[in-house]
Amino acid sequence: MSHGFEHRLEAELEQFVRDGVYKRLNYLDSPQAARVRMEGRGDVIILSSNNYLGLSNQPEVVAAGKAALDRWGAGTASVRFICGTFTVHRALEAACARLVGTGASLSFVSAWNANEAVPATLLGESDIVISDQLNHASIIDAARLAKAIVKCQTAVYRHADLGDLEAKLTAARDRRTRLVITDGVFSMEGSIAPLPDLVELCRRHDAVLMVDDSHATGVLGEHGRGTAEHFGLVGEVDIITSTLGKALGGAAGGFVAGSAAVCDYLTQRARPQLFSNALPPTVAASALASVEYLETHPERVQTLNANARYFRERLIELGFHPLPGETPIIPVILGETAAAIRMSDRLLAQGVFVTGFGFPVVPQGQARVRCQISAAHTRDDLDEALAAFKKVGRELSLI
Ligand SMILES: Cc1ncc(COP(=O)(O)O)c(C=O)c1O
């Protein structure tokens, strides 16, 4: 390998360390759960995973993966349209469509791929994608990719700003298709997209609305069906994408849900589908078991919400000021990146794992620690974590 190339990478990595943005991985040696065994740390309480419903380690979910390994073997050994589709993929896709309330769905190996597939496959040169400023990186890259591949236009509207979105839609009235994309729940804020207004605005401007429900599936709505259920709008969103890597078992995978035509078109033309293997059957079967578990145990969603409410209220009582909200994502703004990292390190020393996020992941001066609550947490887990927040908050003069 070129010495110059290696040297440049090493120099940049050293700069990451000096800038305090170098990420060190924590290795877990137990399943993802409320408490995990972290190498070099022992048992820690996790307030930092997307295992919202605690299904990663649910016996039915694990058993379904094991049974699938025996029935279908290790994997597809081919892309879907050649000979890489198993009956479990069809069952999973029917279940995902049923869960989110669309006519069909199509699975991908990640929600990243699902998002990436939509604009670049369904849009063309005379179309535009209009994206919320705070959308997930996969949506931002999906729009950039579509612009490069199919030469569609792109625009960004200010976060949740309906006036700005309306201006962008009006300016794009000559476009054949206007695709508006928003996260359902914004992962760094824990805030919920203003879906009723978005649906109304998109209808009025004849725009297609796509919602990425990766942090909302299994979380929002009485039955965990997502942002649409939360607002009583099931069936009103044109395209929903979501992940199988968070509330729905936490393994990997994602899906696009929409009309039969949308999913069929993606089956015909989406490049991440046409040129890459499908989900391993073990993962598909665990995800299917997760959807079925959610459908038969909506009380998990109630537990999740009760836990999130409990933790948020106690944090406020302690004197912290989490961003207001009603989701299990509870960010505490600390200002500078170093402050967030210090807080996260001190909490870990107390046996509580909460990640600190700084610039450029969040805006300058708004570094934060982000707590994520799970239905798997017991009140003891949450009380122990709160005691650590109290101790560290006092040490750092935050409360
Ligand atoms: C809003 C959103 N969309 C998409 C993704 C990507 O999900 P996956 O891990 O399935 O690729 C994430 C994961 O962080 C996310 O938060």
Side-chain angles (χ1 to χ4, degrees):
M1 193 187 290
S2 144
H3 286 311
F5 176 59
E6 282 283 297
H7 185 71
R8 173 171 68 76
L9 297 185
E10 281 162 11
E12 288 184 20
L13 285 166
E14 282 160 20
Q15 191 60 44
F16 294 166
V17 175
R18 281 195 294 280
D19 292 346
V21 295
Y22 185 85
K23 296 173 188 61
R24 291 175 208 284
L25 305 182
N26 291 299
Y27 288 86
L28 308 184
D29 199 17
S30 66
Q32 193 64 257
R35 288 173 193 253
V36 300
R37 202 162 44 247
M38 188 179 283
E39 210 171 71
R41 296 275 177 188
D43 282 359
V44 299
I45 298 174
I46 290 276
L47 286 188
S48 209
S49 103
N50 304 305
N51 183 24
Y52 293 117
L53 295 174
L55 293 182
S56 307
N57 197 23
Q58 184 67 32
E60 294 89 327
V61 171
V62 175
K66 286 181 183 165
L69 189 59
D70 286 336
R71 180 164 171 192
W72 287 289
T76 58
S78 182
V79 298
R80 296 248 342 224
F81 82 98
I82 300 179
C83 61
T85 302
F86 288 115
T87 48
V88 68
H89 293 113
R90 187 173 54 210
L92 171 65
E93 286 159 359
C96 291
R98 194 170 66 231
L99 177 67
V100 304
T102 56
S105 93
L106 187 66
S107 62
F108 287 79
V109 291
S110 66
W112 185 289
N113 270 2
N115 281 338
E116 202 174 79
V118 173
T121 311
L122 303 182
L123 300 187
E125 209 172 349
S126 45
D127 303 327
I128 186 168
V129 48
I130 309 179
S131 173
D132 186 289
Q133 176 191 14
L134 292 190
N135 275 343
H136 186 258
S138 56
I139 300 172
I140 296 171
D141 281 16
R144 290 173 177 158
L145 189 70
K147 188 176 185 172
I149 294 182
V150 299
K151 311 215 168 354
C152 66
Q153 288 183 2
T154 59
V156 174
Y157 63 97
R158 282 194 297 275
H159 174 51
D161 184 333
L162 297 156
D164 194 33
L165 174 57
E166 174 136 45
K168 300 269 173 355
L169 283 167
T170 305
R173 63 179 168 273
D174 64 324
R175 301 280 93 196
R176 180 185 63 176
T177 298
R178 288 157 292 281
L179 174 66
V180 173
I181 311 185
T182 181
D183 279 6
V185 169
F186 290 86
S187 60
M188 285 297 143
E189 281 64 36
S191 58
I192 305 173
L195 193 65
D197 292 333
L198 288 169
V199 167
E200 189 276 323
L201 200 53
C202 287
R203 291 275 179 282
R204 194 146 43 78
H205 285 265
D206 189 27
V208 177
L209 178 60
M210 167 169 151
V211 176
D212 176 346
D213 251 359
S214 291
H215 285 276
T217 305
V219 173
L220 289 188
E222 208 184 324
H223 302 89
R225 301 178 71 192
T227 310
E229 189 189 17
H230 176 80
F231 287 110
L233 289 170
V234 171
E236 302 293 327
V237 178
D238 301 302
I239 299 176
I240 296 170
T241 60
S242 191
T243 186
L244 304 169
K246 301 190 196 299
L248 295 179
F255 62 88
V256 177
S259 66
V262 161
C263 295
D264 195 17
Y265 201 96
L266 290 168
T267 306
Q268 305 306 316
R269 288 290 164 86
R271 291 165 70 84
Q273 236 342 283
L274 291 184
F275 299 105
S276 186
N277 281 13
L279 277 177
T282 42
V283 173
S286 284
L288 172 59
S290 297
V291 175
E292 288 169 351
Y293 190 92
L294 172 59
E295 287 175 326
T296 48
H297 296 82
E299 70 279 3
R300 271 289 167 106
V301 184
Q302 319 314 324
T303 305
L304 168 64
N305 287 322
N307 279 355
R309 230 179 359 259
Y310 178 82
F311 192 81
R312 183 184 287 280
E313 285 167 6
R314 298 292 100 68
L315 260 190
I316 294 170
E317 277 168 22
L318 287 177
F320 288 98
H321 303 287
L323 288 182
E326 47 185 319
T327 69
I329 298 175
I330 306 176
V332 180
I333 306 291
L334 295 166
E336 292 314 309
T337 303
I341 290 173
R342 195 162 50 239
M343 174 105 184
S344 166
D345 287 348
R346 296 270 185 108
L347 284 167
L348 189 52
Q350 297 299 315
V352 179
F353 184 46
V354 183
T355 311
F357 292 94
F359 182 77
V361 180
V362 295
Q364 193 79 262
Q366 290 186 37
R368 61 199 66 184
V369 290
R370 182 185 64 165
C371 309
Q372 285 173 289
I373 306 303
S374 168
H377 289 122
T378 61
R379 285 295 150 99
D380 282 350
D381 296 328
L382 297 177
D383 287 341
E384 205 174 311
L386 286 159
F389 264 85
K390 183 173 174 182
K391 182 168 190 299
V392 173
R394 289 208 170 138
E395 279 168 15
L396 298 176
S397 305
L398 297 169
I399 52 172

